[in-house]
Amino acid sequence: MRASSEISQPGATDPAHWIALGRLGDRIVAVALDAKADETTRVDLAPPEVAAWVRRRESPSLRWVWSDTPTWYADLLAEGVRVARCHDLRLCHAILRTPGGDGAPGDPSMSRAWDAAAVEVPATAPALFEIEAAATRPSLPEDIEDVLTEFRRQRAAVEAAENPGAIRLLVAAESAGALVAAELRAAGLPWDEAAHDEILTDVLGERDADGVPAKLEDAARRVRIALSDPSASLDSPPKLLRALHRVGVMVDSTSKWELSEHRHPVIEPLLEYKKLSRLQSANGWAWLDEWVHDGRFRPVYMPGGVVTGRWASSGGGALQLPRQLRGAVRADPGWLLVTADVAQLEPRVLAAMSADTALAAAARGRDLYAGIVETGAVPSRADAKIAMLGAMYGATTGDSGRLVPRLRRTFPRAMGLVDAAAATGEGGGVVSTWLGRRSPPPPPEWQAVQARASEPDAAAADETRARRWARDRGRFTRNFIVQGTAAEWALAWMADLRGRLAALPEVGAADAASRSGPVFATRPHLAFFLHDEVIVHVPAAHAERAADAVRDAAATAGRLLFGDFPIDFPLDLRVSRIADKG
């Protein structure tokens, strides 16, 4: 496999080594380390000296070691300093630590102070896919000696791993992702506030003197008429449920899917109200005032914020941005946006992980779901999508339950891989992504439920509960390996793309572009990321080269993770001034 320059790890013969940054009192200490992580030189700096010193020492072959990328890198970016590589101790500790570790040398679990880096896991498995990191950043050790000790401990843990090469690539990619996240916030996503206001007014209606949009108020009025209750509370689920029950709509929740199954005059206006209310509360005028300034939306990304390795957001809601607001994403004058998303990323990753050549062939050069239909496994594209999602998420009822067995017959290697992961999870075991990120072990509550079901006096309810929890965990581990590996591919894609964009020529300074900050005011840069999609903000003169960089980086990411296995990752790529325009 060929590693990209941005996430390759320095080897023992590489002249590039590391520089660790930490604190000693009110001073900053920089410690240069050789290939064995032995100290060679130490420099004492006042905080105002750090950016200039880093600028002088920075080189593409050097990796900076620090406790937490946002803590250190944000200030450097504000001073116009970009670094090529880092080792983020917080994120790497979360990957390398062994829950309940035995304290063996090299086991990062020995260092409990760094466990703030880890995502806490609730007892119920399905919620694991939606975990987001806390809005407040953990307080981590920044003393230089603590930094050096943890770095050496992590290096020892990597070398002691079952597959050191894969883990080495994973921690390098995770650290590169931390740099990308900080740069996305520093550069910001170009955002037209007037266009956003126009979209809100068109969808929600003009606001009255109290700030209430007309269309939202009208939907609320029609709901209350249908409920025969002019004072009905529509924003309190318990009160709304009681009001619905009074008119004969016997639902257990106010979810869109459950409401849609009922026929009653209240359903249509209530669904409309919920849709408009969601836009108003999540991305309305208050959101615009808080998160968009000087033509930029700067969310707070949290790499590794979900246990699978997917990113989360702790501010701004970038990962839940509604498509109807894409029209507000507009390039600066003289610049364009390159928007690219990967078609069916997770099923393609599954094909490569399992070495299922039949599934890879169905995906090659075309829509994967259409390719599945051509194999004769299912009759329609809609069936293919339902079946594949059911296989990856463990759906056993309805259309998924009917269609998944057909996939097992046609793609036995791919289905066998996720079925085996599910069986491991149901038994309380731990699974790993392609590069070695481990799923969390089942929590004590889960273990207790399983143990209770095995006792001689266990009731039927105990056994039912244990089976349900086991199946829930099996669904979690089934998808963990696929979603986590897809996240690794996306990290490799962004890391390689980041380096390719940095190599493109700068353009002359422009007032509009200066809103992207001192590092990115005159050069192409990543501006947005959402699981399998990126947006690049690029001077118009370099738009085609940037588009080629996006495509080439996707191909490189596939080779980096899966070698010569014949799977492709086609992109839906658009170059435009407005993000929602082709």
Side-chain angles (χ1 to χ4, degrees), residues 8-380:
S8 59
Q9 182 81 0
T13 59
D14 193 318
H17 304 139
W18 298 267
I19 294 180
L21 295 178
R23 301 184 187 277
L24 188 61
D26 60 355
R27 306 285 289 181
I28 305 298
V29 178
V31 178
L33 305 169
D34 64 16
K36 296 181 180 179
D38 292 331
E39 182 174 337
T40 58
T41 59
R42 181 174 292 222
V43 178
D44 184 273
L45 301 164
E49 300 173 325
V50 174
W53 188 87
V54 170
R55 191 195 307 273
R56 291 194 301 271
R57 293 300 308 270
E58 164 63 16
S59 75
S61 58
L62 178 68
R63 197 178 298 274
W64 298 89
V65 178
W66 45 46
S67 58
D68 180 49
T69 297
T71 300
W72 292 89
Y73 195 33
D75 290 341
L76 295 176
L77 289 169
E79 294 292 329
V81 179
R82 177 193 182 274
V83 304
R85 300 177 178 183
C86 81
H87 181 96
D88 186 304
L89 293 171
R90 180 182 70 87
L91 291 173
C92 294
H93 177 92
I95 291 170
L96 296 171
R97 76 170 188 155
T98 303
D102 58 9
D107 176 8
S109 298
M110 292 172 59
S111 180
R112 301 301 177 187
W114 291 87
D115 281 351
V119 175
E120 295 303 319
V121 180
T124 52
L128 294 178
F129 299 110
E130 303 302 328
I131 293 174
E132 292 205 354
T136 55
R137 300 205 61 77
S139 177
L140 295 174
E142 291 188 353
D143 180 88
I144 187 60
E145 298 306 327
D146 290 333
V147 167
L148 292 172
T149 298
E150 177 65 13
F151 178 55
R152 290 169 178 139
R153 184 184 292 116
Q154 291 188 12
R155 279 174 50 80
V158 169
E159 297 309 316
E162 183 177 351
N163 187 344
I167 290 292
R168 194 176 295 118
L169 177 58
L170 176 57
V171 298
E174 189 86 337
S175 296
L179 295 176
V180 170
E183 292 172 359
L184 288 172
R185 180 161 173 77
L189 179 64
W191 199 275
D192 189 315
E193 297 169 66
H196 188 145
D197 176 78
E198 183 179 338
I199 292 168
L200 292 178
T201 301
D202 180 61
V203 176
L204 297 174
E206 295 283 353
R207 290 178 287 175
D208 63 17
D210 296 324
V212 179
K215 293 182 181 180
L216 180 64
E217 180 64 16
D218 180 67
R221 178 187 59 81
R222 289 185 285 121
V223 171
R224 293 187 175 104
I225 290 174
L227 292 172
S228 299
D229 184 353
S231 62
S233 175
L234 307 187
D235 298 319
S236 168
K239 293 180 180 179
L240 179 57
L241 276 176
R242 288 195 292 270
L244 289 168
H245 293 169
R246 283 196 294 269
V247 297
V249 181
M250 308 307 292
V251 291
D252 295 322
S253 74
T254 59
S255 73
K256 172 184 176 182
W257 312 113
E258 189 168 359
L259 289 170
S260 298
E261 294 177 355
H262 292 261
R263 292 184 178 275
H264 188 279
V266 76
I267 299 300
E268 183 273 329
L270 180 55
L271 291 176
E272 181 182 352
Y273 175 84
K274 288 171 65 68
K275 178 182 178 181
L276 297 179
S277 179
R278 169 63 181 168
L279 177 62
Q280 161 80 339
S281 61
N283 300 101
W285 287 278
W287 179 92
L288 183 61
D289 290 341
E290 180 178 3
W291 286 102
V292 179
H293 302 284
D294 193 26
R296 290 294 184 272
F297 168 41
R298 289 186 166 88
V300 181
Y301 291 99
M302 304 294 288
V306 179
V307 291
T308 59
R310 264 194 170 195
W311 284 23
S313 172
S314 69
L319 305 183
Q320 293 86 34
L321 204 62
R323 186 157 294 277
Q324 64 199 121
L325 289 181
R326 289 298 187 97
V329 180
R330 302 190 177 195
D332 291 331
W335 290 58
L336 291 171
L337 301 171
V338 178
T339 304
D341 56 87
V342 190
Q344 303 106 25
L345 174 58
E346 290 188 3
R348 292 173 189 276
V349 161
L350 174 58
M353 293 176 69
S354 60
D356 193 317
T357 53
L359 184 56
R364 194 167 306 124
R366 58 184 166 182
D367 176 82
L368 178 141
Y369 299 130
I372 291 176
V373 173
E374 289 187 17
T375 68
V378 293
S380 71

Side-chain angles (χ1 to χ4, degrees), residues 386-405:
I386 290 170
M388 183 57 69
L389 293 178
M392 293 189 298
Y393 285 91
T396 58
T397 60
D399 288 339
S400 291
R402 174 177 58 85
L403 295 168
V404 167

